């Protein structure tokens, strides 16, 4: 059997292989190079994109940080501005002037340059009626006050004036004149 | 089903390309639908999910005084809030070391920063809710202290708020805003549209970490900042006048007092001081009646300060001169009506001139001078002097005062109006009557602001509008010289004299109707209105105290007038007078 089969195969005509021409090796290599180049480009773009993304993210956090700094500085500026407002308010200035024993002179005197004439009668600023009063005007925004006035007063030898500090702006004599008006 | 022969790669490739193309076309189609056809809807949904809308608050404009001192400005305040459900111990990094902070310790630190007690803070932060307010509207310094504590369950909300750095200085004029930041009194109300600006709106997108995505901000509307307003008020002078009036009202135990200072040549209001008044930083601490500006809003019978106008009218009409001789009894029967008027104090019959009548403020004398002019003409003059009409300022709630129509001027009113009864005026009207006399008889419109600045903060000084000639320059001058005699020789008038300066003034002690009885009560509105220096009048100072209780006449306000006039002359560097008053007969 086996011999017969072998002999049978040997007599069968050989089947023809369907052949065709392959593309030239050079062209295939060129295509592969293009694909590799394309892949590298894509990878480069991806890497670039990643870098840009990282940089952008960093910039966002940097921006957030700078904005936080700006908020801090704005808060600082506001705190200082409100301190200046408070210290320069008339209430604080009046209190400070009073503590320093300052007196508003009720007798202003002018020197007219053109003819060198003195206008007014010079008098020492001793009239207690012209003394700066303690502050009577409310100010809820007065959060900051000039400090250490007492030491300044002491060092300038002005503490002797403390006795008159409590004078108010308006003072009246004990006598009240009858009214001629109606 | 047909199978491709493994030996047909071309066909297999074509089939693959075809399938990929179909899939790609499907994707392209879907992309086109998503990106073009349905783009708007999807964008909206996406934007709603990721976008955070934010109002861009318009910063309210600043209010300045005449010298550029800030009277009102916008600052940021901070609400300090906590989430009670998250209140717990936490770790704080201090000098690169982790420190455990207990709730009790954190509450103590917060209390110190917020000027509260620890118990009060603990009460606020205890609970299960997600929100509790510990303190409203703290200033930036307290906010900074709270932030520095780095307590994880404390958060803050920034809110634009109004700050009045000088407190109650011109508080009656500046006014205040409500909780929504809308002006509800004074200049804040009057110039609300100018000051407020227009809020804008923007949206931006945030990432999962809550940080804003760059370039995602879309400004829908830009905020337009408010513009500034410049007042004619000199804050330093205003402060001084308020100090004097606060002291005076306290001493006289009056209901209220006012001091108005007018620049005669321009009509600019340099000070409009009142006591008691309002601190716009905390208006709730003032009584409701003290939150307005009585200088514009309160009318009362002027009393004797109107005698000056009666005399000026008689001179203008050629019926009298400063030296017209009048026999002045203590009591005088009004012609045509069954009514006697008297002077305030008993005196023998005197022989006074018009000047002497003003000096002594005689009712019987001025009634005779006033009677020389037909009452209809006299009323027309009072109208020209501005009585019964609001000023052109248009201050919120301004009172027009009362000048009855001719039909309502009955027999008695025709006479008593000569000495300031039966009519009512606001303090600003009183001051402006004297402004006209100091300005050669030309009544100007009072000016309180230089208006609204432009968007760059530039503004122009309000022009002096052409005034109204109410009496001639000669009459005005004659009247001023008569007023000077009031200060030189008047029983009370001389208490208002300012050493070194020629001052003219008139006293007034007006009766006040008691609403309970409809008759005059026992309390008075005491006034002292003067001008100086007489040789070139520059300033009017008008002082009034309503319902003075310790001194019932204008002596109570003569001293305050003197102080305020002195300060005004000093502030504006007015040199002392170099001329003397002419002699005018006061008696005969």
């Amino acid at each position: 059997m086996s011999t017969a089969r072998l002999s049978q195969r040997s007599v069968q005509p050989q089947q023809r292989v369907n052949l065709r021409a392959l593309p030239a090796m050079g062209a295939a290599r060129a295509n592969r190079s293009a694909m590799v180049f394309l892949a590298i480009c894509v990878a480069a773009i991806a890497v670039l994109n990643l870098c840009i993304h990282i940089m952008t993210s960093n910039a966002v956090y940097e921006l957030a940080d700078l904005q936080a700094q700006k908020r801090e500085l704005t808060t600082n500026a506001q705190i200082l501005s409100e301190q200046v407002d408070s210290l320069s308010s008339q209430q604080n200035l009046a209190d400070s002037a009073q503590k320093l024993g300052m007196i508003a002179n009720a007798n202003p005197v002018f020197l007219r340059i053109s003819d060198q004439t003195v206008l007014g009668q010079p008098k020492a600023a001793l009239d207690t009626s012209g003394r700066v009063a303690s502050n009577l005007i409310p100010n809820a925004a007065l959060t900051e006050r000039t400090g250490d006035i007492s030491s300044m007063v002491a060092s300038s030898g002005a503490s002797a004036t403390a006795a008159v500090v409590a004078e108010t702006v308006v003072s009246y004599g004990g006598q009240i004149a009858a009214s001629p008006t109606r | 089903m047909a199978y491709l022969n493994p030996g047909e790669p071309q066909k297999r490739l074509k089939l693959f390309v075809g399938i990929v193309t179909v899939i790609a076309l499907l994707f392209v189609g879907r992309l086109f639908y998503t990106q073009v056809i349905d783009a708007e809807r999807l964008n909206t949904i996406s934007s709603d999910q990721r976008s955070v809308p934010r109002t861009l608050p318009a910063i309210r404009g600043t209010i300045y005084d005449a010298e550029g001192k800030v009277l009102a400005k916008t600052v940021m305040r901070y609400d300090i809030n906590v989430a009670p459900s998250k209140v717990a111990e936490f770790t704080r990094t201090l000098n690169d070391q982790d420190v455990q902070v207990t709730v009790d310790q954190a509450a103590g630190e917060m209390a110190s920063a917020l000027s509260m007690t620890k118990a009060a803070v603990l009460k606020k932060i205890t609970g299960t809710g997600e929100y509790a307010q510990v303190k409203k509207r703290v200033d930036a310094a307290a906010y900074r202290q709270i932030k520095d504590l780095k307590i994880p369950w404390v958060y803050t909300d920034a809110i634009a708020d109004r700050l009045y750095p000088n407190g109650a200085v011109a508080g009656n004029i500046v006014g205040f805003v409500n909780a929504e930041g809308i002006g509800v009194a004074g200049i804040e109300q009057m110039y609300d549209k100018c000051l407020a600006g227009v809020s804008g709106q923007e949206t931006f997108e945030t990432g999962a970490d809550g940080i804003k995505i760059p370039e995602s901000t879309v400004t829908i509307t830009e905020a337009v900042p408010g513009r500034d307003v410049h007042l004619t008020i000199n804050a330093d002078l205003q402060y001084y006048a308020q100090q004097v009036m606060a002291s005076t009202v306290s001493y006289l135990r009056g209901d209220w007092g006012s001091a108005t200072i007018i620049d005669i040549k321009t009509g600019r209001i340099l000070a409009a001081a009142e006591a008691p008044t309002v601190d716009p930083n905390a208006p709730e601490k003032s009584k409701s009646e003290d939150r307005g500006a009585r200088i514009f809003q309160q009318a009362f019978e002027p009393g004797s300060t109107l005698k000056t106008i009666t005399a000026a009218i008689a001179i203008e009409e050629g019926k009298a001169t400063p030296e017209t001789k009048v026999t002045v009894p203590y009591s005088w029967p009004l012609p045509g009506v069954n009514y006697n008027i008297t002077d305030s104090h008993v005196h023998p019959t005197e022989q006074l001139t018009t000047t002497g009548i003003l000096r002594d403020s005689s009712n019987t004398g001025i009634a005779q001078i006033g009677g020389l002019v037909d009452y209809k003409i006299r009323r027309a003059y009072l109208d020209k002097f501005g009585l019964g009409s609001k000023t052109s300022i248009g201050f919120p709630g301004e009172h027009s005062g009362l000048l009855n129509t001719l039909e309502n001027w009955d027999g008695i009113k025709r006479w008593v109006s000569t000495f300031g009864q039966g009519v009512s005026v606001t303090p600003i009207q009183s001051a402006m009557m004297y402004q006209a006399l100091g300005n050669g008889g030309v009544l100007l419109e009072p000016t309180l602001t230089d208006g609204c600045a432009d968007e760059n903060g530039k503004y122009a000084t309000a022009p002096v509008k052409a005034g109204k000639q109410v009496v001639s320059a000669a009459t005005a001058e004659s009247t001023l010289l008569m007023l000077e005699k009031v200060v030189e020789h008047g029983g009370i008038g001389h208490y208002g004299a300012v050493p070194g300066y020629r001052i003219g003034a008139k006293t007034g002690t007006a009766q006040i109707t008691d609403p309970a009885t409809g008759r005059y009560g026992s309390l008075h509105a005491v006034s002292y209105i003067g001008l100086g220096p007489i040789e070139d009048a520059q300033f009017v100072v008008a002082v009034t105290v309503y319902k003075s209780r310790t001194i019932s006449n204008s002596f109570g306000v003569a001293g305050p007038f003197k102080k305020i006039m002195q300060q005004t002359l000093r502030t504006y560097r007015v040199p002392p007078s170099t001329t003397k008053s002419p002699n005018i007969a006061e008696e005969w």
Side-chain angles (χ1 to χ4, degrees), chain B residues 41-90:
Chain B
R41 187 182 68 84
L42 293 173
N43 271 337
T44 307
I45 294 169
S46 165
S47 178
D48 287 350
Q49 286 178 346
R50 293 185 300 151
S51 292
V52 179
R54 185 167 68 178
T55 300
L56 298 172
I59 299 298
R60 195 172 173 85
T62 302
I63 301 175
Y64 295 95
D65 85 333
E67 309 297 319
K69 192 181 281 280
V70 173
L71 296 176
K73 68 177 186 180
T74 294
V75 293
M76 295 312 291
R77 291 282 179 257
Y78 306 87
D79 287 351
I80 308 299
N81 308 311
V82 298
S85 65
K86 296 186 171 54
V87 171
E89 280 190 9
F90 62 95

Side-chain angles (χ1 to χ4, degrees), chain B residues 306 310 332 334-337 339 341 366-379 382 403-423:
Chain B
L306 201 65
T310 302
W332 189 63
L334 295 180
V337 290
Y339 195 82
I341 58 168
I366 201 70
Q368 293 179 66
I369 293 289
L372 298 173
V373 181
D374 182 81
Y375 76 93
K376 294 175 187 167
I377 294 172
R378 198 155 44 76
R379 191 200 169 283
L382 294 181
L403 178 61
N404 280 310
T405 58
L406 273 178
E407 297 73 41
N408 289 324
W409 259 27
D410 60 23
I412 293 177
K413 279 202 184 80
R414 291 172 198 172
W415 291 102
V416 297
S417 59
T418 59
F419 46 88
Q421 291 185 348
V423 295

Side-chain angles (χ1 to χ4, degrees), chain B residues 21 114 133 163 173 203 238 288 307 310 314 437 442 502 564:
Chain B
T21 306
L114 299 173
Q133 192 167 75
L163 176 73
I173 297 299
T203 61
Q238 172 85 15
S288 58
K307 288 172 182 168
T310 302
L437 295 174
V442 178
R502 292 177 59 192
I564 294 170

Side-chain angles (χ1 to χ4, degrees), chain A residues 61 76 78 85 105 140 182, chain B residues 73 144 209 279 304 570:
Chain A
Y61 286 101
N76 278 349
Q78 189 179 328
D85 284 340
N105 195 332
R182 178 51 74 189
Chain B
K73 68 177 186 180
R144 163 61 55 74
D209 53 3
D279 178 355
S304 298
R570 187 164 43 211

Side-chain angles (χ1 to χ4, degrees), chain B residues 88-93 97-102 105:
Chain B
E89 280 190 9
F90 62 95
T91 304
R92 181 187 289 154
T93 305
Q97 286 194 334
D98 288 346
V99 180
Q100 199 68 14
V101 181
T102 64
Q105 196 179 338

